[in-house]
Amino acid sequence: MVSHDGGDFLPRTLAALAAQTRPADAVIGVDTGSRDHSAALLEQELGKANVTVFDQPRSGMGGAVMAGLKALAPWPAEGSAATAPGTDWIWLLHDDAAPAPEALAELLRAVERAPSVTVAGCKQLDWHAERRLIDVGLSTSRWAERLTLIDADELDQGQYDGRSDTFAVNSAGMLVRRDIWEELRGFDPALPGSGDDVDFCWRNRLAGHRVVVVPSARMFHVSHRPHALGNATAARKAQVHLRLKHAAGWKVPLHAAGALLGSLFKLVLSIAVKDPGHGFSQLLATFAALGRPAAVVRGRRNAARTRRIRRSVMKGLQTPRREVWAHRRSLIEALGADDFGSELTGAGPLAEQPTGNTDDFAAIATPDRGWVGSGAVLAILLTLAVSLTGLLSLFRAPAVSGGALIPVSLRLAEIWNHASTWWISLGAGLPGHGDPFGYLLWVLGVLGAGDANGGVGWLLILAMPLSALGAWFAAGALTARRRLRLAAALLWAAAPALQVSLNQGRLGALVAHVMIPVVVLALLRATGTAAGRGIHAVPAPGQGRLIPRPAARPGVNGTPSWTAAAAAGLALAVVTAAAPSLLLPSMAVVALCGVLLGRRGRTVWWALLPSLALFLPFAFSVLDRPRALLADPGLPLGFDAAPLWQQALGQPLNFDAGAGLTGLTAFGGSAAGSAGPAGLPWALLLALLFGLPVLLLALAALFMPRRLVLAGRTRTARGLWAVAVLMLAGGWLAGHVASGASAEVLVTPFPGPAVSAAAFAFLGAALIGAEGLLDAADRTAGTGLARKVLIRGTAAASMVLLLAAPLAGFTVWTAQNLLQPTSQTPTQAPAATAGHSGLGTPRLVQPAQARTLPATAVDRGEGPEQSRTLLIASNEDGSFDATLMRGAGTTLDALSTIAAARGILGAPGQETVRDDDAVAGSLRNVVATIVAGEGVDPREDLERLGVGFVVLRVADSASELTASRMDAVPGLAAVGQTGTGWLWRVSPLDRPGITDSDVAHRVRVVDGSGAAIGLLPSEEVSAAGTVPAGPEGRLVVLAERADPGWSAWLDGRRLTSTTSGWSQAFTLPAQGGQLSIRYEAPWAVLIGIAQAVMIGLTVLLAVPMPARRSNTGLSRDEASLRKEPQHV
Amino acid sequence: MSKGDNEKETQTEAATGPSPRKGRLPRAGVIGGILSAVALVAAGGGLVSAASLTPQNPASRQLEAPVAAVPAGSSVGVCPGPARLLEGTPVGTDPQFSPESATAKTAVSAAVLGSSAGIIPGSRLAPLKGAPLAEIAPGAAPTASAPAASAPPARTPVLVAGVLPQREVDNISVLSADAQNNHQAAAGAVLSYTAEDGDLQGSAAAACQQPGNDLWLVGANTALGRSAVLNLTNASSTPATVSLDLFGSEGPIQAPGSRGLLVAPGSSRSIILAGLAPGQERLGVRVRSTGGPVAAVIQQSVLRGLTPGGVDFITPGTAPSVSQVAAGLDIQDPAALAALKAKPGFADAGPALEVAVPGATDAVVEIKLYGPDGQKALPGGGVVTAKAGAVTEVSLAGVPAGTYTVAASSDVSFAATARLTRGLQAGDAADIAFSAASARLGSQHIVAVPRAGDRQLVLGAPAGRATVTYTPITADGKIRTAGTADIAGGTTVSIKIPADVGGSPLVGYVVSAAGDPAYGALVLARDGRQDISAVALAPEAAGQRQVPVTLGY
C-alpha cells in the first residue's frame, strides 16, 4: 500500500483492504512523504511496525514499493533462494484505489489456475461512479503509448469480463509474484509515474511470463486526482522512454528522432487547433525523455538482463495502429458530443453567446431594437465623409508624400528585400537589418493588390473609419451600451494624435493609432477580461445537474483565449513595428498581465512572441546603437512635443494655452500665440473639450462603487489606468533620447503613439465609468428627486460631451485642412511646426508621383549598372541639400532608423551629430565641387560613390544659376530638364578597357593604380559576373562601405577582403572567372527561420476556427483526451 | 495589481453565482481598491507634475548645415588672340593702303604669385590645343623636401612670383595655374596688341579672362565702317552651348543664329556681330553658356573711310547691377573733342558710357565723373533715361582733360562699359579703348603689365577714402617694395608705371585695396602715337570657398 497525500481516499481504501474476503497475509504501508495525515492513517490502521516512510515522492510507486519491501519484508539473498518460487505474492495498492472485497481472492484464484501467470491485475472502475470503466488491462500502441481502449464514459456491463491475457495491467491492484518482482527489480525508477506498470508487464512478458487481467477483481480508482504524477507530460515522457528502452539497439536513434519529429508535428497541430499549451508540454516532455540517456541505458540493461524471448513477439500483443486511431476518433467524437449536448441544454435566449467579433452582432440582437452594428456603420460613414473631405486630394493619387512620408517602392519584392535585408541600401550602404516597419509596408502593398503606394493612400483616407471600427469593437469588450460604443468610435477617430499623424504623414503613428484598439481588445479577450453576455449551462464535475453559469467560452468571463492571445501578438507586432517607441512599454504591460493574472494571464505570454520575432534581427543589428530601437519609421520630421499634461489630454503636439486654432482666423489662428475673438483661448477650450470628459469619467471609474459596475470592471479600470500612466511615462522617457537625425533636424521619438495608447486606456476606463453612471441613472427610480436629477443630469451631460467632442474635432480638422493650403515644400515642415503654437497642425501630405527621379536615371539605377543618382537641391540661404539615391530613388521602405540614428552621439539630452565619416565627407566634397563649378573634376569621387547621374531639383531662381555653374563641371554631360529637375549624366573617365558602358557601375574592377578597367553587373546587394583575366594587383571595388559581412567568390574560391578608401574591395587574382559577391550576416539564416516559425505559428494560432472542442483533441493522445476534458 | 484580484473575484463568483455577493463584500477589499485607485491617480498626477517641473529638452533640434570646402580649381585665364581682320577683307597691293599690318605685334605678359612658402604653383601659357608655349613654373610635385626648404622662409617670408615677360603669341592662349593647398593660384596675364599700319592700327589690350557662363559685353558697334567680332573660347573639357542675347540701340534684337552656338572643348569660335545685328551703333551682348564656361571678347575696330579709327577688345564687365564703376577713363581736351565729334562719322570718336538695361523697366541713370581733383560735373547734369532692353550712350565729353573714374547708379540693374578715344585729328589714325565696369578691388589682384609704352595704373575711389597698395613684380621673379596710393574720396589717382624696378624690368603688380571701394584699370598709351587701350583689373583669385551642404536620405 503506497500512499502520497492520500488522506482523502485512504479511509475507504484501508476499509476495503480490511474487508477483503481473502485477507492479505501481511500489509506493508509506505508513505512517500505526505504532507497530510496519510502516514498517521496508515499507522493507525496497519500498525506502526508495518508502515515505513519513504521520503522521496518523486521516485514514484516503484521506488516506494521497493523501499517498503526492503525495510519490512526483505527478500532473501539471491543465492539462498531456498523457498520455493511462486509461493510469495505481492499485491500493489494505491492510496486512491479501493479494491472490491473479493478482489484479492479473485486474483489469487486466477494465478493459482495458471502457474505461468506472474502478474495479474484488476478491472479499474471509477471511484465515484462505480460503473464507469477506467481500464480492463492495458495495451500499447506501436509507439509505446499506453492505451486502455475504453471509450469515454463507458459503463461496465461486463463487456470485458472475458478478457484474460493482456499486454499489461494497471499498477493499482497489481498482483506480482515476489520472485519475479525481485528478478525484474521492480518498476523502472526512470518512470516514477505513468507507464511504470506497462514497462513492468512488458519486461515480465519478455522474461517469458504471462500477464492477465482478472475482470472479476474490481478496483475503484480515483481518475481525476489533482497533482497526480500521471499527467499528460509524464505519459509522454514515459512513452518516449519506453520506445527507447524496448526498441532494438540499432533502432534507438531512429526512435529518438521519430519521437522528436512527432512531437514537433503535434505542436504545430496543437497550435492549429488552439491548444498550444498541450503541444508545448508534450514537446518538453519529449525533450526531457530524450535528455536522460543514462536512464535509458540503465533501463535497457535491466531489460536485457531478464529478457528471454525475442522483442518482436511483443508486436503481436500491441494494439495495431488502425485500432488506436479508431479508438481515438471515438474519444474525440465523444468529446464533441459532450460539447454539443451542453449547447443544446442551454438553448434559448440565454444561450446567446457573444464570443468572436462577428458573434457580437447576433448576441445583442433582439427584435425590438435595431441591428447592433448600426452604430459602427454610422461611425464609419461619418468618419469616411470627414476623412474624404479633409484629404480629398489624396483620393486616387499615384503616391503620397510630404511630412515624414515619401513614396514606397513600386515592387513588392523590393519592399520585402528592404525589410529583410542585413545590408541597408541607403546612400553608400551600411550594415544593419531592415526596419520591422518594412514588413508592414509589404503587407500594406499586398492589401493594396501589389501597389504599396495606393495602399498607403488608402490607409490615410481610411485611417479614421478604421480607427472608429476598431474602437467600436474594442468598446464592445468593455461595455454593452451602444451609445457608448458609438461615442468611443467617434472619439477614437477624432483623436488629435490621429489628426496630427495624418497631417504630418507619420505613417507609423497612424498605424499604431488604428491598431491599438485591436491590441486592447485582443488582450482583454486573451485574459478573459472581456465582458461575456449571456449565461450558459454546464454540468459541474461529478454532478449530473446542469447549473447556469456565465458563458465560459474562451475570451470572456475569465476564460483565457489562445486565439485572442495570438491575435494580440500579431496586432502588437504591428503596433510596435509601426511605433518602436511603444515596444518596451507594451512589453512591460503584457509581461505584467502575464505575471499578475497568474493562470488567467498565461496565454498573454504568447502575445510577446511576434513582436520579439519581428524585432529580433533588428535588435541584433543595433546592439551598438540601441537608440535606433526607439526611432520612428519614416523621414525624421521635427516637431514640438507637448508637455505631459497636454499629452494626458490626448494632444501629442504642444500648443499655447492661450492660442487659437491654427489656420482658422475666426478662432485666433492667424496670429500664433494671440487669443481669438473675445479673448477666448480656443486651443485650450478644444483640448479640454476633448480630453477632460474622458479623463473625468476614467477617474470616476476608479472610484465607482462596486454595485454600480459589473464584476471586475473597477479592477479593469484600474488596470487601464496603470497602462495609461505607464505609457505616458514611457513616452516621456523616450522623449529624452534623440533617435533620428535628418539633414537638418535631430528628433526624439514622436509622442503620438504613446499618447494614443494612454488615450485609449483612459477611454476604456471612461467607458466603464460612463456605463456605471448610466446604470446608476437607470436605477434612480426609487431614490429622491434631487439625487435622481443629479445623477441623470450628470449622465446626460457626459454623454453629450462625449459625443460633442469628436464632432467638434472633426469640424475643426476638416476646416483646417480645407482652408489652409498645404505646405508646398516638405522641407519647410520643421520651421512651420516650430513657429506655430495653436491647436492643430498644417497638412503636409500631398499627392505625389511615385518616382522621385528622372526615368533615365531610374532605368540605369535599377538595371545591372545599379548606378546611383546624386540629387542636389539649392536652398535660399545658399546651402545645398544633397542625397545619394539608389535605384528609383529613396523610398519609404528603404529608409532605415539605423541610418537615421547612426550619426547621433552623446548622452540623452545632449546629443550631437558626429562629424562626417569618409563617405559623408567625400559626398559633401563632391557636392561642393559640383555646385561651385570651379572646373574641378569630381568624377574620381563620383565613380567611387557609384554615381551615374546628377539631378538638380528645381526650387527657385537660384537653382538656375547653380544649374549653369554645374554645366561647367567637367565630366557632367547635361541631359536636359526633367520633371524632377535638371539632369546630368556623369560621363565616365576615359579608361582603357571600358568601351561598352556610358555610366558608372556599382561594381567595378580597378587596376593597381586605382583606375577602373572593368565593370560588373550587379543587383541591389549581391553581384555576379564574369571577370576576364588581367594583370596582377587588380581589385574589384564595390561602391559600398567596407564591412566584414561582404564576401566574394571567384569560381568558388573565396577572395581576400580589403578596402579601397572607404569602399569594400576584394583582391582579384590574375586569372578570370565567375565572380559572385554577397553580403552575409552571422546568424541571419537561423534568425530568419526562428522569425518565420514564430510568426507562422502565431498566425496559425490566431486563425479563428469554429470553437468545437473536438478539434482540440486532434493533437492529443488517449490519456490526455480522457483525463483532461476541460482545457483552453 | 488589480487584475489579480479580479481573477479571484471572478472565480468565486463563477462558483457561487452573482446573487450573494452584495452583502459579504470584504471591507478590506474596498479599502484596498480605493487605496490602489488613489495610488494610480497619484502616480499619474505625480508623473505629470514631475514632468512639468523637470526641464524637457526640445523634441527636435535644428542642425547646422556642415560646410564643405570647395576644392579650388586651377586658375584659368583665356587671352584673346591678336586682332585680326575680317576674313574676306580685300587685300590690295599697295602697301601704304594695305589693310594688313606688317608691324602688328602681340604679346602676353603673365605673373603667378608664389605661396608664402616660396613655392610657385605649376603654371603655364598654352595654346588651346597642343603643347604649352611656355612653362612658368613646373607642376608642384608633392615634394617631401618642401618642409625643410620652406623652414627658413617661413620666418621671413620672401615672396616670389613666376613671371612670363612679354611672350609673343599668334593665337588664343590660355594661362593656367594649378591650385595650391586647396587655394586657387593668384595669376594674371595681359595681352597687348600694337600695330602701326594697316586697318587695325592702334593698340589693344585685354586681361586674360576667367571663363564664365554668363557674360555681359557692352559697347560694340556694327554700324558702317565698324566691325565687331565676338570671339568665344571654350578652354574647358566640357562642350559649351552658347546663346547670345543682343541689345541694340532701339531694343532687344531677335537674331536667328544667336542661339545654340556650339563651342567644342578646347576651341574657339568667331561671330561677326554685324551678321546678327547689322547697323547697330550701340550693341550689348549677353553671352550665356550651358555646359563648359567660355571666355568672350569682342574685337571692335573702326575704319572711317580709309582712316583707321582704332581697335580694342571689349571684355566682359560686371553682371548687371544698380551701380557700375569703370576706371581708367583718359579724356582728352573738351574743346577739340567737341570739334571732332561734330564732324560726320565722328560721333563715336569721343568718350562715352554705354549703358545696357536688361529687363522691362527703363532706368534713370545718374552718372558721375571723378577726376584727379574731385568730381567734375558733366554737361547736361549726367542724368539720363536709359531705355529698357536697349543700349544707351552717354557722352562723357565736356570735362577737363585728365584721367577719370566714372560711376553710374540707377534704380534698375544695368551693365556698362566706358569708351575712350585718343586722337583729335580727323585725318589721322585714331584709337579707341574700352574699359568695362569692374568690381571693386580686393586683396590680391595680379596685374600683369605689357612691356612697352606709356603705362599708367589708374585707381579711383568714388565713395570714400581708400588705400591701395601696389607691389611690383619684376622679371627676375622678385616681389619688390610696395607702393601705396592714398585716394581721397571722389578722386582718381594715376600712377606712372616705371620700366624697371631695382634693375629688373617690371612685369606686373600685386594690387590690394583697403578702405572704401576702390576701382582700378591700366591705361596703356604709346609715346608719339595716338594709341590707347584700357585694361580693367582682373578679379582677384578666389579664396577658399565653403558651401553648406546637408546630406539627406
Side-chain angles (χ1 to χ4, degrees), chain B residues 355-526:
Chain B
V355 175
V357 182
T361 317
D362 291 355
V364 178
V365 186
E366 187 186 11
I367 296 154
K368 290 174 179 163
L369 271 178
Y370 301 97
D373 44 359
Q375 187 186 349
K376 288 285 178 285
L378 269 173
V383 178
V384 292
T385 303
K387 202 178 153 208
V391 182
T392 308
E393 184 173 302
V394 185
S395 171
L396 300 177
V399 292
T403 322
Y404 288 87
T405 300
V406 60
S409 61
S410 171
D411 51 345
V412 176
S413 291
F414 63 97
T417 296
R419 182 183 71 215
L420 46 155
T421 55
R422 180 65 65 91
L424 295 168
Q425 300 305 315
D428 293 346
D431 197 9
I432 55 168
F434 293 91
S435 175
S438 60
R440 65 175 287 185
L441 291 179
S443 65
Q444 217 174 40
H445 297 261
I446 306 299
V447 182
V449 179
R451 171 70 62 82
D454 173 20
R455 306 162 297 177
Q456 281 185 316
L457 181 62
V458 180
L459 303 164
R465 178 165 290 274
T467 308
V468 177
T469 321
Y470 49 99
T471 316
I473 305 169
T474 49
D476 54 4
K478 283 188 182 146
I479 309 248
R480 305 289 176 164
T481 317
T484 304
D486 203 8
I487 314 165
T491 62
T492 301
V493 172
S494 302
I495 296 146
K496 179 117 178 93
I497 298 174
D500 297 322
V501 173
S504 182
L506 186 137
V507 178
Y509 282 110
V510 181
V511 176
S512 302
D516 284 315
Y519 299 84
L522 273 182
V523 177
L524 309 169
R526 291 216 293 166

Side-chain angles (χ1 to χ4, degrees), chain A residues 578-590:
Chain A
S581 57
L582 284 186
L583 179 66
L584 290 179
S586 54
M587 295 280 123
V589 166
V590 173

Side-chain angles (χ1 to χ4, degrees), chain A residues 933-987:
Chain A
E934 295 275 355
V936 181
D937 193 338
R939 273 180 290 181
E940 199 87 35
D941 279 332
L942 285 177
E943 185 181 62
R944 189 170 288 280
L945 289 163
V947 174
F949 295 90
V950 177
V951 173
L952 179 72
R953 198 175 261 161
V954 188
D956 48 8
S957 54
S959 49
E960 196 156 340
L961 195 67
T962 313
S964 64
R965 276 206 303 267
M966 285 171 64
D967 276 336
V969 174
L972 292 192
V975 176
Q977 194 158 9
T978 66
T980 316
W982 283 282
L983 174 67
W984 288 267
R985 189 171 55 79
V986 180
S987 51

Side-chain angles (χ1 to χ4, degrees), chain A residues 2-5 30-34 52-57 59-61 64:
Chain A
V2 177
S3 159
H4 178 75
D5 285 352
V30 184
D31 185 82
T32 56
S34 303
T52 179
V53 172
F54 178 66
D55 204 358
Q56 281 173 15
S59 67
M61 173 97 184

